[in-house]
């Protein structure tokens, strides 16, 4: 006997409990993500804010097509912003990927539960500190006149360094801080995946004479590879975005460090606060989103051919 297909409204009624559970998250996405997407038309306008409100300004601003994008591409800041954003994110991508897997596997091999909790807590603690708080701690170390680092240098007979006016120091320092802050959080997923591996696989490997490295190579790494691939796809999608707090608050908005700390996110913020150029700022933000989406799609297509089980769609 063929079952009669339920109507759309009957399906809604039967699944009303589940729909109510997802309703708050759905409304949040619609209100704060999907509706604001419509405002991206500002990227194609010479936006002039009116006293009659944002909607009126949106409807009555002159269209300029791709001139905002053209102006952004031709500006001297574009290549600096592009270099910094890609350079830092590529460094974060590979370093976070390597250290997250490394520490996730190391923690999964620990048998002392108390020691494991100490390591997890100490590694996660920096993640919960805001960059605003960390900026003061770092300034306490790097302050030109009262910084602890300069006190040590002077005690050893050296000359103090004006860190906030020395650009060459900051690329390595920003990369170190970005990796240090996120390493604990990034490693949790790999740790959880490694802990979910059936212990019988390790027992079988030991019976075959495998040492610890061979067990990790032939049991642990293949098990976490699908998760690692999925995370790689997601991280590649955000390669044109950056941590605003890291690149704006940590250098303390020093003009000398602009060339080594300016990224797309800080550029957009400065364009809004200093030049009030809403059109070009929106164009830069839209460019970030479009390129990120394209990278996710391309990476996913490559992964689908090589590793179908790890593809997003």
């Amino acid at each position: 006997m063929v079952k009669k297909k339920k109507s759309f409204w009957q399906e809604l009624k039967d699944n009303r409990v589940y729909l109510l559970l997802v309703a708050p998250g759905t409304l949040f996405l619609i209100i704060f993500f999907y509706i604001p997407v419509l405002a991206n038309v500002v990227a194609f306008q010479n936006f002039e804010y009116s006293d009659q409100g944002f909607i009126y300004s949106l409807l009555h601003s002159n269209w300029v097509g791709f001139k905002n994008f053209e102006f952004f591409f031709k500006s001297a800041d574009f290549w600096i912003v592009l270099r910094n954003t890609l350079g830092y994110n590529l460094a974060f991508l590979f370093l976070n990927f390597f250290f997250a897997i490394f520490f996730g596997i190391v923690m999964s091999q620990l048998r002392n539960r108390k020691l494991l909790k100490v390591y997890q807590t100490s590694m996660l603690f920096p993640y919960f500190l805001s960059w605003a708080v960390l900026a003061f701690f770092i300034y306490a170390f790097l302050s030109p006149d009262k910084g602890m680092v300069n006190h040590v240098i002077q005690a050893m007979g050296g000359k103090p360094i004006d860190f906030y006016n020395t650009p060459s120091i900051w690329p390595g320092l920003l990369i170190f801080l970005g990796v240090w802050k996120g390493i604990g959080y990034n490693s949790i997923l790999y740790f959880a995946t490694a802990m979910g591996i059936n212990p019988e696989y390790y027992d079988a490997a030991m019976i075959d004479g495998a040492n610890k490295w061979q067990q990790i190579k032939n049991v642990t790494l293949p098990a976490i590879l699908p998760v690692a691939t999925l995370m790689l796809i997601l991280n590649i999608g955000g390669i044109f975005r950056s941590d605003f707090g890291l690149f704006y608050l940590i250098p303390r908005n020093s003009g000398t460090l602009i060339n080594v700390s300016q990224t797309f996110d800080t550029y957009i913020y400065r364009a809004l606060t200093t030049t009030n150029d809403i059109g070009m700022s929106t164009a830069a933000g839209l460019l970030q989103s479009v390129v990120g989406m394209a990278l996710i799609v391309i990476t996913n297509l490559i992964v689908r051919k090589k590793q179908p089980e790890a593809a997003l769609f």
Side-chain angles (χ1 to χ4, degrees):
M1 182 177 179
V2 180
K3 288 185 178 181
K4 185 179 178 181
K5 188 177 180 180
K6 294 181 180 180
S7 67
F8 174 74
W9 300 109
Q10 186 63 42
E11 288 281 358
L12 288 181
K13 183 179 179 181
D14 292 345
N15 296 283
R16 59 186 180 277
V17 176
Y18 303 111
L19 292 172
L20 286 173
L21 287 173
V22 301
T26 304
L27 289 174
F28 180 84
L29 287 173
I30 291 172
I31 295 171
F32 293 103
F33 285 87
Y34 290 105
I35 293 177
V37 165
L38 301 176
N40 278 319
V41 296
V42 173
F44 307 96
Q45 293 179 326
N46 181 20
F47 187 81
E48 296 179 0
Y49 192 77
S50 170
D51 293 337
Q52 299 185 45
F54 177 76
I55 301 298
Y56 180 88
S57 305
L58 195 68
L59 296 175
H60 291 82
S61 294
N62 296 324
W63 287 87
V64 295
F66 290 95
K67 285 188 177 180
N68 286 322
F69 293 91
E70 182 181 350
F71 181 76
F72 176 54
F73 288 140
K74 289 183 177 179
S75 68
D77 294 328
F78 172 73
W79 295 109
I80 296 173
V81 169
L82 182 65
R83 178 200 66 190
N84 291 343
T85 305
L86 283 178
Y88 284 123
N89 279 326
L90 286 173
F92 291 143
L93 182 67
F94 290 110
L95 291 175
N96 282 330
F97 193 66
F98 172 78
F99 285 112
I101 293 176
F102 175 78
F103 284 110
I105 293 174
V106 168
M107 287 192 296
S108 71
Q109 298 297 316
L110 292 175
R111 295 295 173 260
N112 189 324
R113 296 294 109 183
K114 291 183 179 179
L115 192 60
L116 175 61
K117 289 180 180 179
V118 171
Y119 287 154
Q120 284 181 310
T121 303
S122 60
M123 290 176 65
L124 274 173
F125 181 70
Y127 179 79
F128 294 103
L129 294 175
S130 72
W131 285 117
V133 174
L134 288 173
F136 285 100
F137 279 106
I138 293 167
Y139 184 72
F141 280 93
L142 304 182
S143 173
D145 51 349
K146 299 178 181 179
M148 294 176 63
V149 175
N150 276 329
H151 279 310
V152 173
I153 292 174
Q154 287 177 307
M156 297 175 65
K159 293 183 179 179
I161 302 172
D162 189 355
F163 288 99
Y164 290 92
N165 285 303
T166 310
S168 60
I169 295 172
W170 284 87
L173 180 60
L174 290 171
I175 291 171
F176 169 77
L177 290 173
V179 175
W180 167 76
K181 190 173 188 293
I183 192 65
Y185 181 82
N186 292 330
S187 64
I188 288 177
L189 186 59
Y190 301 110
F191 167 71
T193 305
M195 290 299 291
I197 300 173
N198 192 331
E200 292 180 359
Y201 294 145
Y202 292 107
D203 294 338
M206 284 189 289
I207 291 172
D208 290 338
N211 56 31
K212 185 60 69 175
W213 164 243
Q214 290 171 331
Q215 293 174 39
I216 293 172
K217 179 182 176 182
N218 297 297
V219 178
T220 310
L221 287 177
I224 68 174
L225 184 59
V227 176
T229 306
L230 179 63
M231 295 305 298
L232 182 63
I233 295 173
L234 295 175
N235 289 332
I236 287 177
I239 204 168
F240 268 73
R241 299 191 178 277
S242 59
D243 193 325
F244 177 83
L246 172 62
F247 292 102
Y248 186 81
L249 296 176
I250 298 301
R252 302 180 69 85
N253 198 23
S254 172
T256 311
L257 305 177
I258 287 291
N259 286 345
V260 295
S261 64
Q262 182 94 296
T263 61
F264 272 105
D265 294 89
T266 59
Y267 176 83
I268 292 169
Y269 177 77
R270 288 188 175 102
L272 282 171
T273 55
T274 57
T275 66
N276 200 29
D277 194 336
I278 298 177
M280 192 176 68
S281 301
T282 307
L286 182 58
L287 178 67
Q288 280 184 296
S289 300
V290 172
V291 173
M293 182 192 69
L295 288 172
I296 286 180
V297 172
I298 293 170
T299 309
N300 189 76
L301 290 174
I302 295 171
V303 170
R304 183 186 291 180
K305 293 180 180 179
K306 302 291 184 181
Q307 195 178 352
E309 69 276 10
L312 280 173
F313 48 85

